[in-house]
Amino acid sequence: MLFSELSPFASSFSSIIVSEIGDKTFFITAILGMTYSMSLVFLGSYTAMVLMTLLSCFFGFLLPQILNPTYTHALACIMFFYFGQKLLREFMSQDHNENDDEEQEAVLEVNKVKSKLSKQSDSKNVSNLEVLRAAIALTFLAEWGDRSQITTIALATEETFVVLVGALLGHFICTSTAVLGGKMISSKISEKYIHLCGGILFVLFGLHNIKMLL
């Protein structure tokens, strides 16, 4: 079976790519990158992603120590099938580009932070530390409880370190893409077909976990 050959590294890497491209975190990073120093925004956003991934992998490592592995695989299976059917239903029913909704949410979040920064100091003289903190805080809060976080936790119950490396590489590519040209790239990508690819991928993850239960 082809999927049985898919490594934990490839699973975590691909799940991050299909989850993060075009989502709210992606747009937040893109908009901040167009407003402030791209290097600072990348550093802040990726730092938040690294922290979130480390936490997720720690939770994933901890679960099998607390619960019977059978239960952790069953929980992971339920989560994968849930996200898979959700994405596939969105693909089937989507009659507009949800990138617009994600972008609007991201604009609102960034504007709130920009208004706070402008009150503290002139927008042209916003300190590097303030930009860095804003990028970290916005990205971390937007990512908490996100599909990619839960998927990383589920995958990390098997091979934590390998999943960690794959997820970090996926986040590095997504964050770099967002900072360098996220707004332009996202306008060229159909969210509908990202949902299709993501839905199929999560269903395959679920089938893989069923195999491990048998």
Side-chain angles (χ1 to χ4, degrees):
M1 185 178 179
L2 179 62
F3 182 68
S4 64
E5 302 301 321
L6 190 61
S7 70
F9 174 85
S11 298
S12 62
F13 175 78
S14 57
S15 69
I16 294 301
I17 297 296
V18 299
S19 296
E20 293 298 326
I21 294 293
D23 80 340
K24 186 168 74 169
T25 310
F26 186 86
F27 280 115
I28 286 173
T29 304
I31 295 167
L32 285 174
M34 290 185 287
T35 308
Y36 303 110
S37 163
M38 287 194 295
S39 58
L40 281 175
V41 171
F42 172 82
L43 180 60
S45 295
Y46 190 61
T47 297
M49 291 300 194
V50 170
L51 292 173
M52 183 64 70
T53 304
L54 288 170
L55 278 173
S56 301
C57 287
F58 174 72
F59 292 147
F61 172 79
L62 200 60
L63 277 176
Q65 317 303 319
I66 300 172
L67 298 174
N68 185 299
T70 301
Y71 296 134
T72 60
H73 287 310
L75 287 172
C77 183
I78 291 169
M79 287 190 292
F80 287 139
F81 278 126
Y82 170 75
F83 286 129
Q85 64 83 26
K86 187 173 184 293
L87 286 169
L88 290 174
R89 286 175 62 187
E90 288 174 0
F91 166 76
M92 296 295 292
S93 63
Q94 200 168 43
D95 57 2
H96 71 289
N97 193 340
E98 286 193 2
N99 278 3
D100 295 337
D101 299 332
E102 297 283 357
E103 184 177 1
Q104 288 173 9
E105 289 182 27
V107 169
L108 289 174
E109 294 292 334
V110 172
N111 283 342
K112 288 178 185 177
V113 172
K114 286 170 66 176
S115 65
K116 289 180 182 179
L117 292 177
S118 63
K119 288 177 183 178
Q120 295 172 5
S121 60
D122 188 283
S123 60
K124 294 181 180 178
N125 297 314
V126 175
S127 72
N128 291 343
L129 182 59
E130 288 172 327
V131 174
L132 195 61
R133 285 190 305 191
I136 293 173
L138 274 175
T139 304
F140 191 88
L141 292 174
E143 195 66 15
W144 185 262
D146 189 63
R147 181 168 56 238
S148 61
Q149 184 198 18
I150 297 173
T151 302
T152 302
I153 293 173
L155 290 172
T157 59
E158 294 184 45
E159 295 187 42
T160 307
F161 180 73
V162 177
V163 169
L164 172 66
V165 174
L168 289 177
L169 179 59
H171 281 305
F172 180 86
I173 290 174
C174 290
T175 305
S176 302
T177 302
V179 170
L180 294 174
K183 190 171 177 62
M184 179 187 70
I185 292 169
S186 62
S187 67
K188 306 293 183 182
I189 298 174
S190 171
E191 184 79 1
K192 181 174 181 177
Y193 291 104
I194 291 177
H195 284 167
L196 175 62
C197 294
I200 293 171
L201 189 65
F202 285 122
V203 168
L204 289 175
F205 288 162
L207 292 173
H208 177 63
N209 274 269
I210 286 179
K211 181 182 176 182
M212 298 185 70
L213 288 170
L214 299 177

